[in-house]
């Protein structure tokens, strides 16, 4: 895997990993209890002190932390170090309410860069590569995180940021980009633009590192085929660090969590009780290695399951399955739990492009869902009858997957707004 692979860390024995996590948990609990009044109060309210935490087996004695806690503590109340030791902030993309801000020391940025470098190496990256970073730069963590990781690996780094597709394609062809980092929806848009311009033969990409939003296995295949690359999933969230909390390797069979920095749990989102490995639940993280802004038992709202079995690639760090969505993305339609990624799966299996939007409403006291999906340019010249037949076929496939009726409307190619960052898939009029 080349000289950038952190082999001693990434293939450590499970006993060693558990020891790191044990030591890390004890250390962080003590640090926050002593230095963060917000935490001390929370722990006191839960009737727990650092002396009660003797190992990771005691973690369930500690209270959870939620996004609301982070908003209440905004901006400085969760800092575990004096501000003079912090050198950077990043922030969430949330558009409503108070933003969530993460603080970093030099050491935190270094570890974050390691996570992203591991992701690039796991996708086959070396110092021979040209790494094209089209995640947004600025407060969003995507650009800065992958940028640092790319430097660490020694790739030639193209800090493109998002948007300006013409310029993206010009640099991609002129400089021979080999690794593309962006959201899967933007990768899909770039693939579409490359095909429209007929410049496939000038594209040198071999791998893509795509994350920041939910995407389906079908979308992966679609992007891989259109760009002629291997597409790897990468996960992370601002509160915990940014991208690189977990990433896929060549086995493409779940994302390895950087377990030398993070202690993961999966809990039942209703009861908050831990669930066994392999069972679906909400991902919870303790970022014990963070210096400036460590979080204990942070509820991500992201739904997945975990496995600690050794991976084919040799890495021993636990893996999370591709995210199934967020508990707050889940729509309840006529009493059925529906995730946008399930609909995406059906649409792509039906040969439709990944350009779609879901409109959910409540009419006469009953939920309705309309799926707008773009036709392919070939379908656009089909007869009205053929289009209606295709709509019926998709309605039947959705019914069989979800058990409910959804209206399906095939719309003109290019009529659904393309996203340069995280795609907005759902318009839930019930919430307006
Ligand atoms: O999206 C960090 C990131 C940047 C990850 C670039 C990967 C690549 P936030 O804006 O704070 O941070 O959003 C975090 O995005 O809780 C998930 O719900 C979702 N998310 C992130 N990665 C994935 C993924 C960045 N691979 C929130 N699959 C998280 C599905 C993802 N959802």
């Amino acid at each position: 895997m080349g000289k950038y692979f952190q082999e001693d860390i990434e293939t450590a024995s499970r006993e060693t990993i558990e020891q790191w996590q044990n030591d890390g948990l004890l250390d962080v609990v003590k640090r926050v209890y002593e230095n963060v009044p917000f935490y001390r109060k929370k722990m006191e309210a839960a009737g727990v002190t650092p002396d009660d935490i003797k190992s990771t087996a005691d973690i369930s004695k500690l209270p959870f932390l939620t996004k609301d806690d982070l908003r209440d503590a905004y901006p400085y109340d969760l800092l575990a170090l004096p501000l003079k030791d912090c050198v950077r902030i990043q922030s969430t993309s949330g558009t409503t309410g108070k933003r969530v801000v993460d603080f970093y020391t030099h050491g935190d940025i270094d570890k974050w860069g390691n996570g992203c470098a591991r992701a690039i190496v796991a996708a086959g990256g070396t110092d021979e590569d040209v790494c094209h970073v089209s995640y947004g730069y600025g407060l969003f963590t995507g650009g800065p995180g992958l940028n640092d990781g790319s430097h660490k690996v020694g790739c030639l780094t193209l800090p493109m940021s998002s948007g300006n597709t013409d310029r993206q394609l010009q640099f991609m062809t002129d400089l021979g980009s080999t690794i593309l980092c962006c959201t899967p929806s933007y990768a899909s848009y770039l693939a579409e633009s490359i095909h429209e311009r007929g410049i496939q033969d000038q594209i040198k990409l071999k791998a893509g590192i795509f994350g920041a939003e939910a995407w389906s296995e079908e979308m992966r295949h679609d992007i891989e085929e259109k760009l002629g690359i291997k597409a790897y999933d990468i996960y992370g969230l601002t509160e915990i660090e940014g991208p690189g909390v977990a990433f896929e390797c060549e086995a493409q069979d779940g994302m390895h969590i950087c377990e030398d920095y993070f202690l993961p749990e999966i809990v039942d989102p209703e009861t908050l009780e831990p669930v066994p490995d392999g069972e679906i639940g909400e991902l919870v993280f303790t970022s014990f290695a963070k210096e400036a802004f460590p979080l204990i038992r942070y509820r991500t709202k992201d739904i997945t399951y975990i496995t600690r079995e050794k991976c084919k690639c040799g890495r021993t760090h636990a893996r999370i399955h591709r995210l199934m969505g967020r508990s707050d993305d889940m729509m309840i339609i006529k009493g059925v739990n529906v995730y946008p990624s399930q609909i995406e799966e059906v649409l792509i299996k039906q040969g439709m492009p990944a350009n779609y939007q879901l409109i959910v409403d409540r009419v006469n006291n009953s939920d309705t869902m309309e799926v707008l999906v773009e036709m392919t340019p070939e379908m656009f010249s089909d007869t009205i009858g053929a289009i209606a037949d295709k709509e019926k076929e998709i309605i039947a496939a959705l019914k069989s997957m979800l058990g409910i009726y959804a209206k399906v409307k095939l719309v003109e190619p290019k009529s659904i707004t393309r996203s340069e960052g995280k795609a907005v898939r759902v318009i839930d009029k019930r919430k307006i």
Side-chain angles (χ1 to χ4, degrees):
M1 270 179 269
K3 59 183 170 171
Y4 304 99
F5 179 43
Q6 295 191 292
E7 187 169 4
D8 50 336
I9 296 169
E10 295 188 66
T11 64
S13 69
R14 287 303 312 167
E15 293 74 49
T16 305
I17 294 171
E18 280 156 23
Q19 191 61 51
W20 292 335
Q21 294 182 327
N22 223 65
D23 297 348
L25 180 67
L26 269 51
D27 170 67
V28 75
V29 167
K30 200 157 168 287
R31 272 196 287 140
V32 301
Y33 191 79
E34 284 168 6
N35 301 317
V36 188
F38 187 95
Y39 262 118
R40 180 189 281 252
K41 237 197 266 158
K42 241 183 130 54
M43 284 171 63
E44 280 169 357
V48 55
T49 70
D51 291 340
D52 298 317
I53 309 301
K54 301 201 165 40
S55 76
T56 49
D58 294 322
I59 196 163
S60 52
K61 295 180 183 161
L62 292 162
F64 287 99
L65 206 60
T66 63
K67 202 166 217 160
D68 283 341
D69 289 317
L70 267 56
R71 291 197 170 118
D72 290 346
Y74 174 89
Y76 294 133
D77 287 358
L78 277 167
L79 264 185
L81 283 177
L83 205 54
K84 71 172 181 48
D85 295 325
C86 302
V87 294
R88 171 95 70 82
I89 69 148
Q90 301 287 160
S91 177
T92 51
S93 39
T95 47
T96 54
K98 274 191 213 162
R99 280 182 171 264
V100 168
V101 177
D102 189 358
F103 296 82
Y104 305 75
T105 61
H106 280 296
D108 292 331
I109 290 181
D110 186 52
K111 291 183 192 113
W112 178 22
N114 286 342
C116 291
R118 289 178 198 171
I120 293 171
V121 171
T126 70
D127 57 1
E128 306 276 335
D129 281 298
V130 179
C131 185
H132 188 116
V133 184
S134 305
Y135 287 112
Y137 280 64
L139 286 170
F140 181 54
T141 53
L146 269 305
N147 197 89
D148 278 4
S150 173
H151 282 179
K152 283 200 178 226
V153 178
C155 305
L156 173 64
T157 309
L158 269 54
M160 299 301 304
S161 199
S162 53
N164 199 338
T165 301
D166 283 330
R167 190 176 60 191
Q168 300 274 354
L169 296 180
Q170 187 186 346
F171 276 96
M172 193 178 278
T173 49
D174 291 351
L175 289 153
S177 307
T178 53
I179 298 179
L180 171 64
C181 306
C182 62
T183 56
S185 48
Y186 194 50
S188 201
Y189 179 30
L190 285 173
E192 185 181 31
S193 308
I194 288 167
H195 281 257
E196 270 170 16
R197 289 165 174 75
I199 53 171
Q200 294 92 312
D201 59 339
Q202 296 171 49
I203 301 294
K204 305 268 181 319
L205 291 175
K206 62 175 193 189
I209 303 179
F210 305 136
E213 64 185 5
W215 54 312
S216 62
E217 199 54 38
E218 286 65 26
M219 185 150 172
R220 184 213 300 270
H221 294 146
D222 194 52
I223 296 174
E224 286 188 332
E225 199 197 318
K226 293 206 173 104
L227 285 176
I229 61 170
K230 286 258 270 176
Y232 298 91
D233 204 354
I234 181 167
Y235 168 78
L237 62 168
T238 316
E239 300 90 308
I240 294 300
E241 167 180 89
V245 171
F247 57 85
E248 260 184 350
C249 61
E250 70 264 25
Q252 293 182 312
D253 187 19
M255 294 181 272
H256 291 280
I257 297 169
C258 290
E259 281 197 284
D260 48 336
Y261 304 147
F262 310 112
L263 173 59
E265 296 172 80
I266 304 279
V267 301
D268 179 319
E270 300 293 324
T271 64
L272 300 182
E273 288 300 319
V275 304
D277 285 5
E279 260 182 43
I280 295 173
E282 178 178 337
L283 185 55
V284 170
F285 276 114
T286 297
S287 50
F288 60 81
K290 283 284 281 294
E291 295 168 346
F293 196 76
L295 299 187
I296 294 180
R297 304 197 85 198
Y298 181 65
R299 290 187 58 188
T300 65
K301 302 265 178 152
D302 289 322
I303 304 295
T304 183
Y305 62 84
I306 199 166
T307 171
R308 281 167 237 260
E309 279 163 24
K310 192 168 170 178
C311 179
K312 285 197 224 72
C313 73
R315 288 177 181 81
T316 46
H317 291 214
R319 279 169 288 155
I320 44 170
H321 181 266
R322 164 187 293 291
L323 264 69
M324 282 127 185
R326 292 177 55 79
S327 53
D328 47 12
D329 268 2
M330 190 186 79
M331 304 172 283
I332 302 184
I333 297 170
K334 295 184 181 150
V336 175
N337 299 349
V338 178
Y339 286 103
S341 55
Q342 291 174 297
I343 293 169
E344 178 177 302
E345 190 181 321
V346 169
L347 294 176
I348 298 180
K349 271 194 187 143
Q350 287 288 320
M352 303 305 294
N355 300 314
Y356 63 93
Q357 205 150 44
L358 313 176
I359 301 179
V360 181
D361 205 349
R362 201 163 170 80
V363 178
N364 297 333
N365 270 334
S366 172
D367 297 326
T368 61
M369 177 165 64
E370 183 172 21
V371 180
L372 303 181
V373 56
E374 281 184 10
M375 293 178 233
T376 58
E378 301 79 58
M379 279 176 195
F380 195 47
S381 47
D382 278 352
T383 61
I384 292 177
I387 290 171
D389 286 347
K390 188 67 199 170
E391 287 173 345
K392 279 191 206 137
E393 216 180 286
I394 300 173
I395 290 172
L398 286 171
K399 178 115 207 255
S400 122
M401 152 96 82
L402 306 170
I404 52 169
Y405 168 79
K407 187 171 170 195
V408 171
K409 193 162 162 203
L410 299 194
V411 296
E412 274 182 42
K414 298 269 177 181
S415 56
I416 294 177
T417 314
R418 298 291 184 269
S419 112
E420 294 171 346
K422 299 185 190 232
V424 180
R425 304 287 194 195
V426 182
I427 300 172
D428 195 338
K429 294 187 175 167
R430 298 174 304 182
K431 293 183 181 159
I432 296 173

